[in-house]
Amino acid sequence: MSSSAPPVSQHHTPRSLFAEPGERGRQLWRAGGEAVLAAVLVLLTYSIESGIDARLGLGWPAVPLGAVGVALVLVRRRYPVAAVVGLAALMGAVPSVALLTAVAAHTATRQLRTPRRRFGVLLGAAAAAMLTCAAFAPVLELGSHLFGLALAAVLAVATVVVPGLVGTTAGQSDRLLRALRERAAAAEEARRLTDSESRMRERSRIAAEMHDLVGHRLSLVSLHAGGLEMALLKEAPELRDEAAVVRRATRDAMQELREVLGVLGPLGGDTGIGALTDATGTRADVEALVEESRGGGIPAELVWEGPDLDARPARVRRAVHRVVRESLTNVHRYAAGAHVTVTVRHAGERVEVRVRNGAPPTRPPLTTGLGSGRGLTGMRERVALLGGDLEAGPTPGGGFAVAADLPADPGPGAETVEAAPDDGGPVAVDEPGSGLSVLQRRIAGAVTGLLGLVGVSAMMLFGVLLVNHSRYDLAYRSPQPPRVGMTREQVQRAVAPDDPASRAAAAGREPPRPGSATDCLYPYAGEKPEHGRLELVRYCFRSDTLIAIDRFTVPLVTEPHGGRRTHD
């Protein structure tokens, strides 16, 4: 009686937020390491930018915004477009995440396959960076909208465009190498199939010759033995049994010859008795084998778990059929009458076959002469060629068990019986799975990434210094010059910010401040010095109202204190 369990549901591993589609591995460990490195990059960039201009540091809001940047760079493989555009927009307000934006741009363009999508991502990220930086520049007191636009243009080129172009080149190189590997693997598979076909043709030729030569002679021997048996029936009845023995031996030899020819013939077609069909190895086929054993006096039971095998490759179904048939044949030979349980479990990407029989009702003779000893060896070789394992041995209760564990889809790399090479195996293709090559590639990738970040940092630093140097020409020109009576906010929009260097140069050399002044502003002196003296401008306020504008010169190196003075 056949019984079956409910199909086993296939559990798919959920996609990780930190891995690209189809990627497997320890993404959590990698994400943890990347989070630490990203935080270090943000802090390092923050310290450098604060050294250039304290306002680039943004102050305490940079902490939560920097954490958002770290989170975006961690999910860049799963959501490349959102990560690079989000980091670029965030960079306009927090320049400290600029290096993270470069990493995301490189990853996104490396993953995207179509040039249109790569161009759109780079253009959108650059536009987002320029818009946010231009919008937040006055709010962060970096300067005017024009200065923010210039700063964003430098950051976008250094951290979006350049890494994006490098990522595009790397992605195209990866896809080219993958295509070359697949082509090499396909060529190797074609060579193996050609060799296998040649071997099968040769084996078929040998089988045909054996059939023509030996089979013909055995047929003649059987024919003459039959005639001799009929002739001796009247002439010498006592010799008739000897002639019958010769005829039966000849018949057995013909049967064994047919089995040998089935082995020598093409294994793909499985010539000989019991040729395999498209239904081989399916549930109906295995049930037929079990039912056939029941008809032969073996109490057999089938347990099938999971879906049918009709959608699996033919070589897998053929292996299942072989294991079940050979195991049941051994039960008929060595344990006639014993109870047999055949279990086929199809779960996920594995197929398990178990054939277990109990102790026979009567002990068989020590030697039957029916087996060749090749059955288990052949099953083990067939399963091993598919990348599976087979175990066979006696059970504690006096029975015997055969257990085979097969991959449900061996893939093109699994060597089958049909294409088993004679020269010790196929030529190895440079697969990305070899341990040494993977380690070498990871080390090379880490070194290349480090050098790339250093280069991006250098470009970004140079661009920020250049824009910061020309800040006052870009950001602080005003059609309305400062005049007495303006508010502090109006003056700050019209002139450069307070410069510590100008304040230090004026110390001890400036004219007296107005008595009612509460504080003074010393903007950056952008004019070139003349005759070794630098002209400075001082704006003094009473509360928030401008009450005096003083222009005076100071010596650049060593000159007597004081200088010319004009008072507006």
Side-chain angles (χ1 to χ4, degrees):
M1 181 177 60
S2 174
S3 63
S4 60
V8 178
S9 60
Q10 299 184 10
H11 299 282
H12 299 282
T13 303
R15 291 177 58 185
S16 173
L17 289 175
F18 314 115
E20 59 183 296
E23 184 182 8
R24 296 179 180 179
R26 295 174 292 182
Q27 292 88 3
L28 292 179
W29 287 100
R30 183 179 64 185
E34 289 181 350
V36 174
L37 293 177
V40 171
L41 288 178
V42 171
L43 293 176
L44 184 61
T45 309
Y46 179 85
S47 61
I48 294 176
E49 291 175 347
S50 299
I52 297 176
D53 193 326
R55 283 164 297 187
L56 288 173
L58 188 63
W60 69 266
V63 177
L65 294 178
V68 173
V70 172
L72 286 174
V73 82
L74 292 181
V75 300
R76 70 189 185 279
R77 295 183 179 88
R78 176 72 182 275
Y79 306 105
V81 177
V84 66
V85 174
L87 279 168
L90 188 62
M91 179 179 61
V94 188
S96 303
V97 301
L99 292 182
L100 303 186
T101 306
V103 174
H106 180 273
T107 302
T109 52
R110 189 166 185 167
Q111 287 185 219
L112 299 177
R113 294 181 177 272
T114 59
R116 179 178 298 177
R117 291 195 66 188
R118 290 194 295 266
F119 176 76
V121 167
L122 294 181
L123 183 61
M130 297 179 71
L131 288 176
T132 54
C133 193
F136 280 93
V139 178
L140 301 176
E141 298 183 355
L142 292 176
S144 65
H145 297 292
L146 182 61
F147 171 76
L149 195 62
L151 179 62
V154 171
L155 293 178
V157 171
T159 62
V160 176
V161 177
V162 174
L165 295 178
V166 175
T168 299
T169 304
Q172 291 176 345
S173 177
D174 291 342
R175 286 186 286 273
L176 176 61
L177 289 177
R178 192 179 302 113
L180 292 177
R181 289 194 185 99
E182 292 175 355
R183 180 174 296 182
E188 181 63 23
E189 183 69 16
R191 184 192 68 82
R192 289 199 299 265
L193 292 176
T194 302
D195 293 345
S196 175
E197 185 179 358
S198 299
R199 289 195 301 273
M200 287 189 294
R201 283 198 299 264
E202 183 63 20
R203 286 155 63 174
S204 299
R205 185 187 64 80
I206 296 173
E209 290 183 359
M210 289 183 64
H211 182 273
D212 293 341
L213 296 177
V214 183
H216 177 66
R217 298 299 180 185
L218 289 177
S219 298
L220 292 177
V221 172
S222 178
L223 178 63
H224 288 292
L228 181 60
E229 182 181 1
M230 296 297 295
L232 291 176
L233 181 60
K234 295 180 180 181
E235 300 295 332
E238 66 278 5
L239 299 178
R240 177 178 175 273
D241 292 338
E242 299 296 333
V245 170
V246 173
R247 181 174 55 82
R248 286 195 299 269
T250 305
R251 183 190 61 193
D252 293 341
M254 285 290 296
Q255 182 68 18
E256 293 175 358
L257 176 62
R258 291 190 184 98
E259 294 179 358
V260 171
L261 294 181
V263 174
L264 289 178
L267 292 178
D270 197 9
T271 60
I273 300 175
L276 306 182
T277 64
D278 292 338
T280 297
T282 61
R283 181 168 181 170
D285 177 61
V286 176
E287 287 179 345
L289 291 176
V290 174
E291 186 64 30
E292 182 180 355
S293 294
R294 290 198 199 100
I298 300 293
E301 178 186 4
L302 172 64
V303 178
W304 189 287
E305 299 180 6
D308 205 344
L309 296 176
D310 51 357
R312 293 302 180 181
R315 55 184 183 270
V316 175
R317 293 185 283 107
R318 188 177 296 118
V320 172
H321 174 95
R322 289 289 193 181
V323 171
V324 174
R325 189 179 72 177
E326 185 66 28
S327 300
L328 292 176
T329 300
N330 289 338
V331 173
H332 281 274
R333 288 177 177 175
Y334 305 113
H339 182 272
V340 183
T341 301
V342 179
T343 304
V344 179
R345 182 178 293 108
H346 180 200
E349 299 300 323
R350 307 297 297 181
V351 178
E352 299 177 4
V353 182
R354 303 285 187 272
V355 181
R356 182 187 181 97
N357 65 272
T362 59
R363 293 183 58 85
L366 296 179
T367 57
T368 63
L370 298 176
S372 63
R374 291 289 303 169
L376 290 177
T377 303
M379 284 194 297
R380 186 172 285 108
E381 291 176 353
R382 179 178 291 273
V383 171
L385 288 172
L386 291 177
D389 298 317
L390 184 137
E391 297 180 359
T395 61
F400 199 84
V402 177
D405 188 3
L406 298 166
D409 189 1
E415 190 63 50
T416 63
V417 177
E418 294 89 333
D422 295 332
D423 54 359
V427 178
V429 182
D430 182 19
E431 292 292 340
S434 60
L436 183 60
S437 60
V438 169
L439 179 61
Q440 290 175 343
R441 275 192 292 271
R442 287 181 178 177
I443 294 176
V447 173
T448 303
L450 180 61
L451 293 178
L453 286 178
V454 171
V456 170
S457 302
M459 288 190 300
M460 185 179 67
L461 180 61
F462 177 77
V464 170
L465 287 175
L466 182 63
V467 174
N468 190 65
H469 181 72
S470 59
R471 163 199 303 268
Y472 311 112
D473 293 333
L474 291 172
Y476 292 102
R477 286 185 176 177
S478 174
Q480 185 178 8
R483 64 179 185 275
V484 176
M486 280 187 170
T487 63
R488 183 188 298 271
E489 183 179 357
Q490 292 174 333
V491 174
Q492 289 178 342
R493 286 201 301 264
V495 302
D498 187 74
D499 185 29
S502 299
R503 183 182 291 272
R509 300 180 180 89
E510 60 182 326
R513 296 183 178 183
S516 59
T518 56
D519 64 319
C520 295
L521 176 68
Y522 298 83
Y524 172 76
E527 292 80 4
K528 294 182 179 180
E530 296 181 359
H531 307 293
R533 302 186 69 85
L534 180 66
E535 182 177 359
L536 299 178
V537 182
R538 183 183 67 188
Y539 300 88
C540 293
F541 299 88
R542 181 173 58 246
S543 297
D544 287 332
T545 303
L546 181 64
I547 60 174
I549 303 176
D550 299 311
R551 291 183 173 85
F552 55 94
T553 60
V554 296
L556 286 180
V557 188
T558 55
E559 289 188 18
H561 288 202
R564 299 191 304 269
R565 174 183 179 275
T566 61
H567 186 78
D568 295 338

PDB file of all heavy atoms in Angstrom, residues 545-560:
ATOM      1  N   THR A 545      23.338  97.601  15.247  1.00  0.00           N
ATOM      2  CA  THR A 545      23.298  98.705  14.284  1.00  0.00           C
ATOM      3  C   THR A 545      24.717  99.142  13.971  1.00  0.00           C
ATOM      4  O   THR A 545      25.544  99.326  14.878  1.00  0.00           O
ATOM      5  CB  THR A 545      22.495  99.884  14.832  1.00  0.00           C
ATOM      6  OG1 THR A 545      21.170  99.429  15.172  1.00  0.00           O
ATOM      7  CG2 THR A 545      22.394 101.005  13.812  1.00  0.00           C
ATOM      8  N   LEU A 546      25.024  99.314  12.687  1.00  0.00           N
ATOM      9  CA  LEU A 546      26.354  99.753  12.256  1.00  0.00           C
ATOM     10  C   LEU A 546      26.513 101.246  12.566  1.00  0.00           C
ATOM     11  O   LEU A 546      25.696 102.066  12.132  1.00  0.00           O
ATOM     12  CB  LEU A 546      26.516  99.493  10.757  1.00  0.00           C
ATOM     13  CG  LEU A 546      27.863  99.873  10.149  1.00  0.00           C
ATOM     14  CD1 LEU A 546      28.984  99.021  10.756  1.00  0.00           C
ATOM     15  CD2 LEU A 546      27.825  99.690   8.627  1.00  0.00           C
ATOM     16  N   ILE A 547      27.603 101.581  13.307  1.00  0.00           N
ATOM     17  CA  ILE A 547      27.812 102.973  13.684  1.00  0.00           C
ATOM     18  C   ILE A 547      29.099 103.538  13.103  1.00  0.00           C
ATOM     19  O   ILE A 547      29.292 104.754  13.099  1.00  0.00           O
ATOM     20  CB  ILE A 547      27.844 103.126  15.216  1.00  0.00           C
ATOM     21  CG1 ILE A 547      28.982 102.294  15.819  1.00  0.00           C
ATOM     22  CG2 ILE A 547      26.506 102.706  15.829  1.00  0.00           C
ATOM     23  CD1 ILE A 547      29.181 102.497  17.314  1.00  0.00           C
ATOM     24  N   ALA A 548      30.016 102.659  12.596  1.00  0.00           N
ATOM     25  CA  ALA A 548      31.270 103.180  12.055  1.00  0.00           C
ATOM     26  C   ALA A 548      31.875 102.198  11.089  1.00  0.00           C
ATOM     27  O   ALA A 548      31.781 100.974  11.281  1.00  0.00           O
ATOM     28  CB  ALA A 548      32.262 103.462  13.179  1.00  0.00           C
ATOM     29  N   ILE A 549      32.494 102.758  10.007  1.00  0.00           N
ATOM     30  CA  ILE A 549      33.250 101.967   9.041  1.00  0.00           C
ATOM     31  C   ILE A 549      34.634 102.569   8.963  1.00  0.00           C
ATOM     32  O   ILE A 549      34.784 103.734   8.545  1.00  0.00           O
ATOM     33  CB  ILE A 549      32.577 101.963   7.661  1.00  0.00           C
ATOM     34  CG1 ILE A 549      31.134 101.426   7.748  1.00  0.00           C
ATOM     35  CG2 ILE A 549      33.384 101.135   6.677  1.00  0.00           C
ATOM     36  CD1 ILE A 549      30.389 101.483   6.433  1.00  0.00           C
ATOM     37  N   ASP A 550      35.646 101.855   9.383  1.00  0.00           N
ATOM     38  CA  ASP A 550      37.030 102.345   9.409  1.00  0.00           C
ATOM     39  C   ASP A 550      37.872 101.540   8.441  1.00  0.00           C
ATOM     40  O   ASP A 550      37.851 100.299   8.453  1.00  0.00           O
ATOM     41  CB  ASP A 550      37.613 102.229  10.813  1.00  0.00           C
ATOM     42  CG  ASP A 550      36.829 103.059  11.825  1.00  0.00           C
ATOM     43  OD1 ASP A 550      36.587 104.239  11.534  1.00  0.00           O
ATOM     44  OD2 ASP A 550      36.445 102.487  12.877  1.00  0.00           O
ATOM     45  N   ARG A 551      38.655 102.253   7.606  1.00  0.00           N
ATOM     46  CA  ARG A 551      39.605 101.621   6.699  1.00  0.00           C
ATOM     47  C   ARG A 551      41.003 102.060   7.106  1.00  0.00           C
ATOM     48  O   ARG A 551      41.254 103.248   7.266  1.00  0.00           O
ATOM     49  CB  ARG A 551      39.326 102.018   5.256  1.00  0.00           C
ATOM     50  CG  ARG A 551      38.024 101.420   4.709  1.00  0.00           C
ATOM     51  CD  ARG A 551      37.837 101.791   3.249  1.00  0.00           C
ATOM     52  NE  ARG A 551      36.699 101.121   2.656  1.00  0.00           N
ATOM     53  CZ  ARG A 551      35.460 101.535   2.715  1.00  0.00           C
ATOM     54  NH1 ARG A 551      35.195 102.686   3.337  1.00  0.00           N
ATOM     55  NH2 ARG A 551      34.488 100.850   2.158  1.00  0.00           N
ATOM     56  N   PHE A 552      41.897 101.113   7.217  1.00  0.00           N
ATOM     57  CA  PHE A 552      43.265 101.414   7.629  1.00  0.00           C
ATOM     58  C   PHE A 552      44.179 100.336   7.066  1.00  0.00           C
ATOM     59  O   PHE A 552      43.729  99.293   6.583  1.00  0.00           O
ATOM     60  CB  PHE A 552      43.369 101.483   9.156  1.00  0.00           C
ATOM     61  CG  PHE A 552      42.878 100.242   9.850  1.00  0.00           C
ATOM     62  CD1 PHE A 552      43.769  99.225  10.203  1.00  0.00           C
ATOM     63  CD2 PHE A 552      41.521 100.084  10.159  1.00  0.00           C
ATOM     64  CE1 PHE A 552      43.310  98.088  10.827  1.00  0.00           C
ATOM     65  CE2 PHE A 552      41.078  98.952  10.786  1.00  0.00           C
ATOM     66  CZ  PHE A 552      41.963  97.936  11.125  1.00  0.00           C
ATOM     67  N   THR A 553      45.457 100.608   7.088  1.00  0.00           N
ATOM     68  CA  THR A 553      46.453  99.660   6.565  1.00  0.00           C
ATOM     69  C   THR A 553      47.344  99.202   7.708  1.00  0.00           C
ATOM     70  O   THR A 553      47.572  99.936   8.676  1.00  0.00           O
ATOM     71  CB  THR A 553      47.313 100.304   5.469  1.00  0.00           C
ATOM     72  OG1 THR A 553      48.001 101.434   6.011  1.00  0.00           O
ATOM     73  CG2 THR A 553      46.444 100.728   4.287  1.00  0.00           C
ATOM     74  N   VAL A 554      47.853  98.030   7.546  1.00  0.00           N
ATOM     75  CA  VAL A 554      48.780  97.455   8.522  1.00  0.00           C
ATOM     76  C   VAL A 554      49.960  96.875   7.765  1.00  0.00           C
ATOM     77  O   VAL A 554      49.830  96.448   6.608  1.00  0.00           O
ATOM     78  CB  VAL A 554      48.090  96.359   9.362  1.00  0.00           C
ATOM     79  CG1 VAL A 554      46.968  96.946  10.191  1.00  0.00           C
ATOM     80  CG2 VAL A 554      47.575  95.243   8.479  1.00  0.00           C
ATOM     81  N   PRO A 555      51.136  96.855   8.386  1.00  0.00           N
ATOM     82  CA  PRO A 555      52.295  96.260   7.705  1.00  0.00           C
ATOM     83  C   PRO A 555      52.168  94.746   7.653  1.00  0.00           C
ATOM     84  O   PRO A 555      51.591  94.105   8.531  1.00  0.00           O
ATOM     85  CB  PRO A 555      53.467  96.716   8.569  1.00  0.00           C
ATOM     86  CG  PRO A 555      52.875  96.932   9.919  1.00  0.00           C
ATOM     87  CD  PRO A 555      51.483  97.444   9.684  1.00  0.00           C
ATOM     88  N   LEU A 556      52.750  94.175   6.604  1.00  0.00           N
ATOM     89  CA  LEU A 556      52.698  92.733   6.429  1.00  0.00           C
ATOM     90  C   LEU A 556      53.765  92.017   7.231  1.00  0.00           C
ATOM     91  O   LEU A 556      53.545  90.936   7.751  1.00  0.00           O
ATOM     92  CB  LEU A 556      52.847  92.362   4.951  1.00  0.00           C
ATOM     93  CG  LEU A 556      51.628  92.643   4.072  1.00  0.00           C
ATOM     94  CD1 LEU A 556      51.916  92.239   2.642  1.00  0.00           C
ATOM     95  CD2 LEU A 556      50.421  91.896   4.600  1.00  0.00           C
ATOM     96  N   VAL A 557      54.982  92.627   7.354  1.00  0.00           N
ATOM     97  CA  VAL A 557      56.068  91.915   8.035  1.00  0.00           C
ATOM     98  C   VAL A 557      56.421  92.638   9.315  1.00  0.00           C
ATOM     99  O   VAL A 557      55.856  92.418  10.372  1.00  0.00           O
ATOM    100  CB  VAL A 557      57.285  91.750   7.099  1.00  0.00           C
ATOM    101  CG1 VAL A 557      58.324  90.841   7.744  1.00  0.00           C
ATOM    102  CG2 VAL A 557      56.857  91.183   5.762  1.00  0.00           C
ATOM    103  N   THR A 558      57.346  93.545   9.238  1.00  0.00           N
ATOM    104  CA  THR A 558      57.774  94.301  10.426  1.00  0.00           C
ATOM    105  C   THR A 558      57.858  95.759  10.055  1.00  0.00           C
ATOM    106  O   THR A 558      58.753  96.187   9.324  1.00  0.00           O
ATOM    107  CB  THR A 558      59.139  93.812  10.930  1.00  0.00           C
ATOM    108  OG1 THR A 558      60.076  93.878   9.867  1.00  0.00           O
ATOM    109  CG2 THR A 558      59.048  92.362  11.406  1.00  0.00           C
ATOM    110  N   GLU A 559      56.932  96.528  10.483  1.00  0.00           N
ATOM    111  CA  GLU A 559      56.946  97.975  10.312  1.00  0.00           C
ATOM    112  C   GLU A 559      56.411  98.597  11.588  1.00  0.00           C
ATOM    113  O   GLU A 559      55.756  97.919  12.388  1.00  0.00           O
ATOM    114  CB  GLU A 559      56.062  98.388   9.123  1.00  0.00           C
ATOM    115  CG  GLU A 559      56.689  97.999   7.771  1.00  0.00           C
ATOM    116  CD  GLU A 559      55.917  98.582   6.606  1.00  0.00           C
ATOM    117  OE1 GLU A 559      55.140  99.538   6.823  1.00  0.00           O
ATOM    118  OE2 GLU A 559      56.092  98.096   5.507  1.00  0.00           O
ATOM    119  N   PRO A 560      56.641  99.854  11.793  1.00  0.00           N
ATOM    120  CA  PRO A 560      56.118 100.492  13.006  1.00  0.00           C
ATOM    121  C   PRO A 560      54.609 100.368  13.048  1.00  0.00           C
ATOM    122  O   PRO A 560      53.934 100.350  12.039  1.00  0.00           O
ATOM    123  CB  PRO A 560      56.572 101.955  12.859  1.00  0.00           C
ATOM    124  CG  PRO A 560      57.732 101.880  11.939  1.00  0.00           C
ATOM    125  CD  PRO A 560      57.498 100.774  10.999  1.00  0.00           C
TER     126      PRO A 560
END
